[in-house]
């Protein structure tokens, strides 16, 4: 591993400490609402654990199944450890999702409650030791949310199929019981984690606490795999090893692609970041040269955007950037490419577009931004911001330039000329 790569990983690990709770390690040093919320969850978890020891007797078969599930979880985590470290950094400020449910939910279905709790605890201790050593109370809190979620799932399962739990229910009613238990398990964990994020980051948009839909699909998939793991463990235990091997391959393929996509995306706007946009530009320019077709480039800079940040704060500025990004997405065609170069500057590629059509597209975008009205959240409440304008520079291959560097420089210079001559205008390079 290169020195540069090691330094980059260290920077990523430092950033992870801000994921959802402030970085100080002592629980009692947290803000009052966070402290009260975490303590309430921990107390509820302690009461639930105390009640589990009066439920069902534990057999030697239960211990064997616990060992198999714990071993499967450990092997799974070790095989995907590097990916999970990077994904956890990428989950800064939003719910961090993983495939642990494949093992923990299987334990909830078929293990006596004390062993299901032990499985969750050992899984998260291993994760803390091997993936990321964040403040201990954060890992304890996360494990506690899973224990409470498991308790909710167990209650639902036992209510629908009394006398079967712990165990794997059969038949149509058993299917209903398992699905309902999975929903209860997911909802309790999701709600508790989202609540922690909102309390810890009161100034962040609420959608950050909700997280991404694609991540929740990963959670749903992990719970479905948990159902399959439990069924196999009761009927064909040897098949769990085959299932683990299959999941390891899918995990790496799925999550490496997801991480690569995240590495190419600007986190504030969801657009292509500067590095990825320039990579796309090189490809599109090579295609234009090869096919002798025109290519348009727009460089766009928001006018006086510093005023928005100074007046309403940087979080409000981020909301305005997101709104501008949404407008750009709606205005461009399916094969156009838009990216954020940094700050309040954006770039758009328009393949197979003449100089005149590029200028027309730029003017449509300019008018769209000029007419944009954004509701932003400030310390004093919601405020309407309708003063955004932009300056746009255009350039075209082959009319303006015959190399990519010259094309981008021409668009950049035209954009600055637009700003120097009054702003809120389009200048052709």
């Amino acid at each position: 591993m290169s020195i540069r790569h090691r330094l980059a990983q260290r920077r990523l690990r430092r950033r992870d400490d801000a994921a959802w709770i402030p970085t100080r390690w002592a629980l009692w040093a947290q803000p009052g609402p966070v402290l009260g919320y975490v303590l309430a969850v921990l107390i509820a978890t302690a009461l639930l654990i105390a009640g589990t020891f009066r439920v069902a007797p534990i057999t030697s078969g239960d211990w064997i199944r616990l060992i198999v599930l714990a071993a499967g979880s450990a092997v799974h985590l070790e095989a995907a450890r590097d990916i999970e470290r990077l994904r956890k950094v990428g989950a800064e400020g939003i719910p961090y999702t993983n495939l642990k449910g494949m093992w923990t939910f299987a334990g909830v279905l078929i293990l006596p409650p004390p062993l299901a709790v032990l499985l969750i605890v050992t899984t998260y201790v291993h994760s803390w030791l091997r993936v990321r050593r964040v403040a201990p109370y954060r890992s304890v809190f996360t494990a506690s949310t899973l224990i409470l979620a498991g308790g909710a799932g167990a209650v639902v399962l036992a209510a629908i199929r009394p006398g079967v739990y712990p165990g794997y229910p059969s038949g149509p009613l058993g299917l209903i019981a398992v699905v309902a238990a999975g929903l209860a398990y997911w909802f309790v964990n999701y709600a508790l984690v989202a609540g922690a994020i909102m309390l810890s980051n009161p100034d962040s948009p609420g959608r950050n606490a909700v997280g991404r839909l694609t991540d929740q699909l990963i959670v749903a998939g992990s719970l479905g795999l948990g159902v399959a793991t439990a069924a196999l463990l009761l009927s064909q235990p040897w098949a769990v090893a085959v299932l683990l091997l299959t999941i390891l391959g899918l995990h790496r393929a799925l999550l490496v692609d997801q991480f690569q996509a995240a590495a190419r995306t600007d986190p504030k706007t969801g657009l292509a970041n500067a590095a990825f946009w320039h990579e796309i530009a090189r490809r599109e320019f090579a295609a234009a040269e090869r096919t002798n077709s025109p290519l348009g480039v727009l460089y766009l800079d928001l006018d006086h955007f510093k005023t928005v940040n100074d007046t309403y704060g940087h979080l409000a500025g981020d909301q305005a950037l997101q709104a501008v990004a949404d407008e750009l997405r709606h205005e461009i065609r399916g094969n156009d490419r838009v990216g954020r170069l940094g700050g309040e500057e954006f770039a758009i590629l328009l393949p197979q577009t003449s100089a005149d059509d590029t200028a027309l597209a730029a003017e449509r975008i300019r008018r769209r931004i000029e007419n944009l009205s954004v509701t932003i959240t400030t310390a004093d409440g919601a405020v309407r911001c309708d003063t955004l304008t932009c300056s746009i520079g255009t350039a075209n291959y082959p009319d303006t330039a015959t190399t990519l560097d010259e094309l981008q420089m021409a668009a950049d210079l035209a954009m600055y000329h637009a700003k120097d001559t009054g702003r809120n205008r389009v200048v052709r390079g």
Side-chain angles (χ1 to χ4, degrees):
M1 182 183 294
S2 68
I3 294 176
R4 181 179 296 177
H5 185 60
R6 290 178 185 272
L7 290 173
Q9 282 199 332
R10 288 178 186 174
R11 286 194 295 269
L12 290 175
R13 288 170 187 165
R14 286 197 296 269
R15 283 177 51 208
D16 179 55
D17 288 337
W20 60 268
I21 288 181
T23 57
R24 292 164 296 180
W25 277 50
L27 173 59
W28 53 87
Q30 307 312 314
V34 175
L35 175 62
Y37 185 84
V38 172
L39 287 177
V41 170
L42 297 183
I43 291 171
T45 304
L47 293 174
L48 177 63
I49 292 174
T52 62
F53 291 96
R54 301 192 300 270
V55 179
I58 299 174
T59 67
S60 58
D62 293 326
W63 284 105
I64 292 173
R65 284 186 279 274
L66 170 65
I67 292 171
V68 171
L69 289 172
S73 175
V75 172
H76 187 180
L77 180 65
E78 288 297 323
R81 184 161 57 101
D82 291 340
I83 299 173
E84 289 305 315
R85 280 177 174 171
L86 295 172
R87 288 189 66 245
K88 199 162 187 177
V89 172
E92 183 177 337
I94 62 175
Y96 163 62
T97 58
N98 52 59
L99 295 180
K100 288 189 182 75
M102 172 183 175
W103 310 102
T104 57
F105 187 57
V108 168
L109 291 176
I110 62 174
L111 293 178
L115 296 191
V117 170
L118 182 58
L119 174 65
I120 293 171
V121 171
T122 56
T123 297
Y124 274 85
V125 168
H126 182 214
S127 178
W128 185 81
L129 290 172
R130 299 293 289 163
V131 175
R132 180 71 184 106
R133 294 195 182 188
V134 296
Y137 78 88
R138 289 175 53 187
S139 289
V140 172
F141 173 84
T142 304
S144 297
T145 65
L146 261 295
I147 292 171
L148 292 175
V155 168
V156 170
L157 196 63
I160 297 177
R161 289 301 304 268
V164 175
Y165 178 79
Y168 195 91
S170 60
L173 188 58
L175 174 62
I176 294 173
V178 168
V179 171
L183 288 172
Y185 179 96
W186 167 81
F187 178 77
V188 170
N189 178 54
Y190 183 68
L192 290 174
V193 171
I197 293 173
M198 286 189 288
L199 285 175
S200 304
N201 301 277
D203 295 329
S204 296
R207 63 175 178 272
N208 288 353
V210 175
R212 299 176 290 246
L213 175 61
T214 53
D215 287 340
Q216 297 313 309
L217 293 176
I218 291 174
V219 174
S222 73
L223 297 182
L225 289 170
V227 174
T229 302
L232 288 174
L233 198 53
L234 291 177
S235 59
Q236 300 290 341
W238 59 268
V240 174
V242 178
L243 181 61
L244 173 59
L245 182 61
T246 304
I247 293 307
L248 287 177
L250 292 175
H251 189 164
R252 294 191 71 86
L254 171 66
L255 297 183
V256 165
D257 284 347
Q258 186 189 52
F259 176 72
Q260 287 176 339
R264 295 171 173 175
T265 303
D266 172 58
K268 289 185 179 179
T269 62
L271 301 174
N273 61 23
F276 187 43
W277 187 89
H278 283 100
E279 179 184 333
I280 296 171
R282 285 192 294 271
R283 295 176 186 173
E284 292 290 352
F285 188 83
E289 280 189 314
R290 188 171 58 254
T291 60
N292 195 29
S293 57
L295 174 67
V297 174
L298 307 181
Y299 270 36
L300 179 155
D301 192 82
L302 298 177
D303 299 326
H304 302 299
F305 192 73
K306 185 176 183 296
T307 304
V308 177
N309 286 327
D310 292 344
T311 304
Y312 304 114
H314 287 279
L315 287 175
D318 291 347
Q319 294 173 39
L321 287 175
Q322 179 63 63
V324 170
D326 291 341
E327 294 301 308
L328 295 178
R329 286 193 193 92
H330 292 142
E331 186 60 48
I332 64 174
R333 304 167 302 183
N335 63 334
D336 297 334
R337 298 290 182 263
V338 58
R340 179 176 177 233
L341 300 184
E344 59 271 19
E345 189 172 343
F346 300 83
I348 304 171
L349 283 170
L350 305 173
Q352 299 181 342
T353 305
S354 67
D356 290 340
D357 288 340
T358 297
L360 289 173
E363 182 60 27
R364 288 197 305 270
I365 290 172
R366 186 200 65 77
R367 288 198 300 268
R368 188 160 191 142
I369 301 303
E370 183 182 38
N371 294 324
L372 177 63
S373 181
V374 186
T375 300
I376 55 180
T377 304
T378 70
D380 299 322
V383 175
R384 299 290 292 180
C385 177
D386 54 7
T387 59
L388 292 174
T389 62
C390 65
S391 300
I392 304 177
T394 77
N396 276 81
Y397 170 82
D399 297 357
T400 310
T402 55
T403 69
L404 179 59
D405 288 342
E406 291 174 350
L407 189 65
Q408 292 176 271
M409 186 178 298
D412 194 38
L413 290 173
M415 179 192 73
Y416 278 104
H417 185 58
K419 298 183 81 67
D420 292 340
T421 54
R423 293 184 169 85
N424 191 24
R425 64 186 59 201
V426 174
V427 171
R428 295 172 65 159

